[in-house]
Amino acid sequence: MKEAPLLKQPSGLHSPEGARADPEALPCYDLLRDALVREGLRVHDPATGRHIATVRDWPDADINSAIERAENARSAWSSRTARERARILEDWFDLIIARAEDLAQLLTLEQGKPIAEARGEIAYGASFVEWFAQEARRIYGEVIPANQADQRLFVIRQPIGVVAAITPWNFPVAMITRKLGPALAAGCPVIVKPAEATPLCALALAQLAWRAGVPRDCLTVATGTDPARIGRILCRSHEIRKVSFTGSTVVGKTLMEWCAPTVKRLSLELGGNAPFIVFDDADLDVAIDAAMLAKFRNAGQTCVCANRLLVQDGIYDRFLSAFRARVAALKVGPGEQPDTQIGPVIDARAATRIASLIADARDHGAQIHGGEPIAGDGHFVEPAIIAPATRDMRLAQEEIFGPVAAIFRFSTEDEAIAIANDTQSGLAAYLFTRDLARTWRVGEALESGMVGVNTAAISNEVAPFGGIKESGLGREGSRHGIEDYLEMKYLCLGQMN
Ligand code: ADP
C-alpha cells in the first residue's frame, strides 16, 4: 500500500506552487462564489495538503449582527404555516439531490472521504431534509381533560427560538442537515458554525437553502479560524435559545459550561467508544463484513466506529485471519479515485495522534499489522490491526478516529459486557450472535444509546441517533429529533361555561 501512487493532483485546481489557480474549477463554484475571499479561513485538500479555497473569518460584530437578524426574522418564519415551511424544505431537498454529484465532489475535496462514501453522505444528508419537511406537519398539541368543569387545558408546541449548530468535519453535510432540517421545520432560525476543515459544503448547502426559499436571515453560516471565539459568542448570547453540537466530548463539556449562564437547551452528540462484540455463534461472514464497515468507513473517523472489537475465544483465530486478509486488501488513496476505500485522515494532527495510539499499544505488548504513516503531503495512514488489544492501552478508553482496528479477546458473555461498558462513553454498540435470547440479554445490558445486532448499518433518518453517559444529550433524526427544537406550552383556559 505504501508504494501506491497516492497523490494524484486533482485536475485544474492547483498551480504547481500550491496556490489555487482557478477558483472556477471548484466543484459547486456557482454556489460558493460569493463566499470566497482572499484572506481568512484557508481550506485544504487532506489528500494533498494543498490550499483549495479561502472563506471568511467572521469578526465578532458580524456574528452578533447575524444573531440579531435571526432574532428579528424568527417571528415571521415561525408564523408561516407548517405546510409552507415543509414546501420550502422539500424544495431544498430537491436542489440538493439535483446537485448531488457536485456536492459529493466538493465533500471529497475538502474532507477526503472516498467519492462513493461522499455520494452516500449526500443522500443520507438530504434524507434528513426530506424527513423533517414531513415532520414539520406533525407537530401536534394535546387537549387535557380538566379537573374543573369551567376550564379547558391545552398543550401547544412552539419553536424554541434561534438555534446555533456547531458541526464537525467528519460528515460535513449530514451533520448539518440533521440539525437544520428539524430546526427550520420547527420554525427556528439557525446560525451554523461548520468545522474549520470543512466550511465549503456548509456554504454550498446554505446557498441551496436560500434558493429554495429559506429566508437569508434564518440561515447564516459563520465560518472562522478560531472556533472558541465564535462558540463563546453563540453560547453566551441571550437570543440563541439552543445549541446543537456534534463533536468531541471535551469541547461538548466546555459548551455546556458556556451555556449555563443563559440556561440554554443543549443537544450534544459527542464521542463514542463503540464495542463490537463477536460471539462464538456469530455468522463469521456477516461479522467480518460489518466490522469492515464499522471500522473503516470514513477512514475510521466516525463517532459510531467500532473502537474496540471484542471477539470470543472460539471464533477469535478464524475472525482474525479473515479480517487480516480483508484489511490487507484495502486500497488507500485520494478519495476522488473511484477504487479508493481509505482516504486520508483529516489533518497532520490526526495522523500524529493515531500514530501515538499505535505506539502506546506496541509499548503494552500488542502485535501491530500495518499502521505505518505514508510519506507525502497528504495525511494518509495505512490501515492497521492491533491484536490482542488490552484494557490498559490508551485506545481502550480513547476514540481512535482512524483506520486502526483494536481486537480484544474474551471468554464469557459477562466478561464481554463488562469490557464493553468499561468506558464513560455510550453512543453505539454492536453485537453478533445467532442466539435470540443472548440478543436481548446483551442488547439490554449494553450501556449505549444505539445497538446494532448483526449489522453495522444503523444510521438513518427514521431512527433516533444519540448517546448516553458522556456521549451526549438528546436524539437526532426520527420523530423525536424535532422535539429538541420545540418548547411545550401549557394553556389553561378558565371561564369556559
Ligand atoms: P474534533 O476534535 O473531532 O475536530 P471538535 O470538537 O474539536 O472535534 O470539533 C467539532 C466542532 O466544534 C467544530 O465545528 C469545531 O470548530 C468546534 N469547536 C472546537 N473547539 C471549540 C470551542 N472551544 N468552542 C466552540 N466550538 C469549538
Side-chain angles (χ1 to χ4, degrees), residues 166-169 193-196 227-228 231 245-248 251 255 258 349:
I166 302 179
T167 56
W169 47 263
K193 197 216 74 63
E196 302 84 271
F245 170 74
T246 299
S248 60
V251 171
L255 300 183
W258 290 349
R349 195 169 61 103

Side-chain angles (χ1 to χ4, degrees), residues 282-333:
D283 180 317
L284 184 64
D285 293 338
V286 168
I288 294 279
D289 281 348
M292 295 303 293
L293 182 68
K295 182 66 251 181
F296 294 107
R297 190 166 62 118
N298 201 9
Q301 304 170 109
T302 86
C303 48
V304 293
C305 263
N307 210 55
R308 298 165 297 156
L309 291 108
L310 316 184
V311 185
Q312 199 165 15
D313 285 333
I315 198 170
Y316 184 89
D317 291 338
R318 281 184 297 136
F319 181 92
L320 190 56
S321 101
F323 189 59
R324 254 190 211 149
R326 289 283 294 273
V327 173
L330 282 172
K331 178 128 184 29
V332 182

Side-chain angles (χ1 to χ4, degrees), residues 28-37 54-56 203 207 210-211 216:
C28 297
Y29 172 71
D30 63 314
L31 305 178
L32 296 170
R33 189 172 32 212
D34 295 345
L36 300 177
V37 295
T54 304
V55 299
R56 285 188 71 206
L203 291 161
Q207 186 62 243
W210 296 326
R211 289 184 186 181
R216 284 251 166 188

Side-chain angles (χ1 to χ4, degrees), residues 19-182:
R20 191 163 58 75
D22 179 9
E24 293 183 26
L26 268 178
C28 297
Y29 172 71
D30 63 314
L31 305 178
L32 296 170
R33 189 172 32 212
D34 295 345
L36 300 177
V37 295
R38 283 192 173 278
E39 299 290 327
L41 172 63
R42 290 167 68 83
V43 188
H44 298 93
D45 173 359
T48 60
R50 285 171 191 253
H51 171 230
I52 48 174
T54 304
V55 299
R56 285 188 71 206
D57 189 2
W58 279 57
D60 292 8
D62 289 8
I63 299 166
N64 283 319
S65 93
I67 295 172
E68 204 178 306
R69 282 185 280 110
E71 173 63 13
N72 291 337
R74 181 169 67 88
S75 142
W77 180 242
S78 64
S79 304
R80 297 224 197 164
T81 64
R83 188 161 182 245
E84 284 174 324
R85 288 197 303 272
R87 285 267 158 85
I88 290 172
L89 289 180
E90 280 161 12
D91 286 349
W92 187 24
F93 169 80
D94 288 342
L95 290 176
I96 295 172
I97 295 301
R99 299 298 299 268
E101 184 56 28
D102 280 355
L103 287 166
Q105 285 181 19
L106 184 67
L107 204 173
T108 289
L109 183 64
E110 69 173 344
Q111 200 272 345
K113 67 178 60 179
I115 187 69
E117 288 189 29
R119 290 184 183 120
E121 181 177 341
I122 303 302
Y124 174 55
S127 75
F128 290 105
V129 178
E130 183 183 44
W131 171 263
F132 285 108
Q134 295 159 350
E135 287 300 290
R137 305 185 67 186
R138 286 188 263 280
I139 300 171
Y140 299 118
E142 292 166 36
V143 180
I144 302 174
N147 285 337
Q148 290 179 219
D150 63 347
Q151 288 189 337
R152 298 293 181 270
L153 314 184
F154 301 92
V155 172
I156 58 171
R157 288 189 163 77
Q158 296 179 300
I160 192 165
V162 181
V163 169
I166 302 179
T167 56
W169 47 263
N170 62 344
F171 287 90
V173 167
M175 294 306 98
I176 288 181
T177 54
R178 199 158 77 175
K179 300 181 191 308
L180 283 187

Side-chain angles (χ1 to χ4, degrees), residues 89 160 199 222 235 257 377 385 482:
L89 289 180
I160 192 165
C235 291
E257 282 179 25
D377 295 329
I385 297 179
I482 205 159

